[in-house]
Amino acid sequence: MLNKKKIIPYGHQWIDKKDIKEVVKVLRGDWITQGPNVERFERAVAKYCRVKYAVAVSSGTAALHAAYTAAGIKTGDEVITTPLTFAATANCIVFCGGKPVFVDIQKDTLNIDPKKIEAKITKKTKAIAVVDFAGHPCDYDETKKIAKKHKLLIIEDAAHSLGSEYKEKRIGSLADMTILSFHPVKIITTGEGGMVLTNNKDFYEKLKVFRHHGIIKKPEKGGWYYEIEKPGYNYRLTDFQCALGISQLRKIDKFIKERRDIVAKYNKAFKDINEIVAPTERDYVKSAWHIYPIQLNLEKLKNGRKKIFEEMQKEGLGVQVHYIPLHLQPFYKKKFNYKKGNFPVAERYYERAVTLPLFPKMPDKEVNKVIKTVKKAINFYKK
Ligand SMILES: Cc1ncc(COP(=O)(O)O)c(C=O)c1O
C-alpha cells in the first residue's frame, strides 16, 4: 500500500518566474508558432553545443525519426544500437523500415560496447545509433574508428546528455547527427520538444524539410509556390516552447551543477554499501547526470529487486527502472526474433536496476530521505 505522503519523483523540471515571463511574452505577441524564437533557440543550443546547425522539433522521438530519415535509413537497412534505451531509439528505426541490430552494453558505463559492434556489421548496416545512458557519453573514439572503417554514420541519442563532455568536448558535434529531448525530466525542458544537431549542411536541409511536411519552397516560381518530393511530417516546435527553451538554457550550468552535487552526495553515502553498485563516471567524461540508476547486489540480499523497489515506493520514493531492455519487448521478439539471453550484460543490469530520484533544486531534505530510505531497505533485506 502506498503512503499518502508526497512522492519524491525520479525527475522533475525546474521552471522559474523568468521562464514563465518569457513564455507569456510570446503568448501575448503575434506568433505563437514558427516565430523568431525558433531560430533563436536553435542558434543558442548550437552555440552551447559548439556545432554548426540545429533543427528544433516537437520531441526527442521526432528528432530521432528525422535524423534516421536524413541519414537515408530505409526498408531493409540495419542500424546497430543498444538494447538498454528508451523505446524511441529503436522504434524510429522501425518507422523508417529498418532493423535495430542490438549490441550488448559495457558493465560500467551501461553504454553500447564498441568491442562487440564489428561482429554485428553486415552489408545492410547503414549506421550506429549510440545512446549516452544516464548522461554518460559513449566511447566515441572507438566507435568512430569502426564507423570510418565500415563507412557508417553515427547517430547519437543524447536525450540524457545535453551538457555532458567527452574528453573535454561537449556533446553535440561528436556524431554525424546528435538528437536531444526537452521532456520535463531532461536536462532542460520545453514541455515536449527535441532537436537535431549536425555539422553537415546536407543533413541540415533535409531535417528542415522533413520537419515541415516535406515542403520545399520555390519562390522563383511565385511567393506561394512549393513542391513536395517526399512527404514529411508536422514536427515543428512552437515559438513559446522555444522561448522557454532559451530561458532554460541560460540556467543549464546551474542545473548540471545541482545534479552533480546530488550525485556526489549519493556516491559518498553508498560508497561502503556492498549491497549496492552505484553508477560510474569514467575519468575522461563529465556527465550531466540525467538519472541515477543503482544496481542491487542481489547475491547479498534476501529479497529480489521487486520487493525492495516496492518497499522504497511505500516510503515515498518515486523510484523507476530505466529500462526493460528492448530485445525483451514482445514486438522486438516477434518481429526480429530476439530472445532472453541474447544480451546478458543488459539483462543482468535490468534485473538489478533501480533509478533513484534526482533533479536540480531537489531539497536537501529529500536527498537525505532518499539516502536514509535506501539504507533502511538494504539493512532490512541484507543476508
Ligand atoms: C534515450 C532516449 N531517447 C529518446 C527519447 C525520446 O524523447 P521524447 O520523450 O522527447 O520523445 C527519450 C525520452 O525519454 C530517451 O530517454
Side-chain angles (χ1 to χ4, degrees):
M1 195 183 67
L2 277 179
N3 248 332
K4 292 247 165 31
K5 284 181 275 185
K6 186 177 166 266
I7 301 282
I8 306 173
Y10 86 85
H12 197 272
Q13 70 276 17
W14 179 354
I15 303 280
D16 66 13
K17 280 187 193 153
K18 279 189 188 153
D19 293 327
I20 293 167
K21 205 173 135 202
E22 294 298 333
V23 173
V24 170
K25 210 157 73 184
V26 177
L27 292 176
R28 290 210 167 103
D30 292 327
W31 288 291
I32 56 171
T33 186
Q34 301 312 285
N37 285 298
V38 179
E39 254 186 66
R40 262 183 222 148
F41 184 38
E42 289 172 341
R43 278 202 304 271
V45 177
K47 188 173 173 214
Y48 175 79
C49 292
R50 299 159 194 158
V51 63
K52 265 194 204 151
Y53 306 108
V55 179
V57 289
S58 52
S59 67
T61 305
L64 282 162
H65 192 190
Y68 292 137
T69 305
I73 304 305
K74 54 181 191 323
T75 306
D77 289 345
E78 293 180 356
V79 178
I80 288 180
T81 192
T82 167
L84 189 68
T85 183
F86 183 61
T89 317
N91 286 353
C92 292
I93 299 169
V94 178
F95 294 170
C96 295
K99 175 184 176 182
V101 174
F102 297 120
V103 165
D104 212 349
I105 58 169
Q106 293 170 329
K107 209 173 157 195
D108 63 336
T109 67
L110 309 170
N111 287 330
I112 193 165
D113 189 341
K115 289 199 189 78
K116 295 179 182 160
I117 290 179
E118 264 195 300
K120 295 290 181 77
I121 295 175
T122 71
K123 280 192 188 123
K124 294 179 187 166
T125 311
K126 291 283 152 52
I128 307 170
V130 297
V131 179
D132 301 325
F133 186 80
H136 193 294
C138 294
D139 276 338
Y140 284 96
D141 287 347
E142 288 79 351
T143 311
K144 272 183 178 171
K145 254 183 236 156
I146 299 165
K148 201 171 165 199
K149 182 170 157 197
H150 296 274
K151 296 193 173 65
L152 305 175
L153 292 171
I154 301 180
I155 293 161
E156 176 185 358
D157 182 337
H160 297 186
S161 60
L162 174 59
S164 293
E165 290 170 21
Y166 170 79
K167 300 186 180 172
E168 292 175 3
K169 285 191 206 107
R170 194 169 277 163
I171 285 304
S173 63
L174 298 166
D176 294 287
M177 280 180 272
T178 300
I179 79 94
L180 304 172
S181 162
F182 306 126
H183 178 274
V185 294
K186 299 296 184 340
I187 308 299
I188 65 166
T189 190
T190 58
E192 297 284 357
M195 202 171 270
V196 188
L197 308 173
T198 184
N199 277 323
N200 180 310
K201 190 149 192 289
D202 182 43
F203 289 149
Y204 173 60
E205 299 297 343
K206 284 183 174 147
L207 292 164
K208 281 201 299 184
V209 170
F210 186 73
R211 160 180 78 176
H212 187 51
H213 306 280
I215 286 176
I216 304 172
K217 289 197 173 143
K218 306 238 165 155
E220 67 280 9
K221 295 193 180 177
W224 70 93
Y225 192 82
Y226 61 82
E227 285 176 1
I228 295 169
E229 276 163 22
K230 213 173 147 210
Y233 288 74
N234 175 357
Y235 275 163
R236 297 183 306 256
L237 190 62
T238 66
D239 210 59
F240 55 92
Q241 285 176 292
C242 288
L244 176 57
I246 295 166
S247 180
Q248 286 265 300
L249 191 66
R250 290 191 191 116
K251 292 173 285 217
I252 191 167
D253 291 345
K254 187 164 75 175
F255 289 170
I256 294 175
K257 184 180 180 306
E258 296 230 358
R259 286 180 180 275
R260 293 184 61 81
D261 287 350
I262 297 165
V263 166
K265 282 183 200 157
Y266 282 162
N267 285 346
K268 192 169 166 220
F270 302 140
K271 189 167 52 89
D272 299 321
I273 304 181
N274 294 327
E275 290 77 16
I276 289 177
V277 179
T280 325
E281 188 180 40
R282 288 193 181 169
D283 57 7
Y284 52 85
V285 314
K286 183 178 168 199
S287 175
W289 286 106
H290 161 52
I291 49 172
Y292 189 85
I294 59 166
Q295 292 173 70
L296 302 174
N297 196 344
L298 296 178
E299 291 71 21
K300 294 189 188 291
L301 292 160
K302 278 186 282 201
N303 251 296
R305 189 258 312 269
K306 186 168 182 288
K307 185 86 191 144
I308 297 171
F309 183 94
E310 285 167 357
E311 202 61 44
M312 292 180 190
Q313 270 191 325
K314 268 191 215 161
E315 292 290 330
L317 307 196
V319 282
Q320 259 293 351
V321 172
H322 294 89
Y323 299 95
I324 305 168
L326 287 178
H327 69 285
L328 301 178
Q329 292 295 352
F331 172 81
Y332 288 98
K333 279 181 167 170
K334 267 187 232 143
K335 172 102 181 153
F336 300 112
N337 211 16
Y338 287 116
K339 33 185 160 321
K340 196 166 178 344
N342 283 161
F343 306 106
V345 187
E347 288 172 28
R348 188 177 192 276
Y349 160 80
Y350 164 61
E351 278 153 20
R352 289 147 194 266
V354 180
T355 301
L356 301 181
L358 170 64
F359 48 93
K361 219 185 181 181
M362 189 173 165
D364 273 352
K365 210 170 81 192
E366 294 190 357
V367 175
N368 293 337
K369 185 178 167 180
V370 171
I371 293 170
K372 210 168 124 195
T373 308
V374 170
K375 284 186 173 171
K376 191 172 143 197
I378 295 300
N379 275 334
F380 190 76
Y381 288 113
K382 80 173 168 197
K383 278 182 183 160

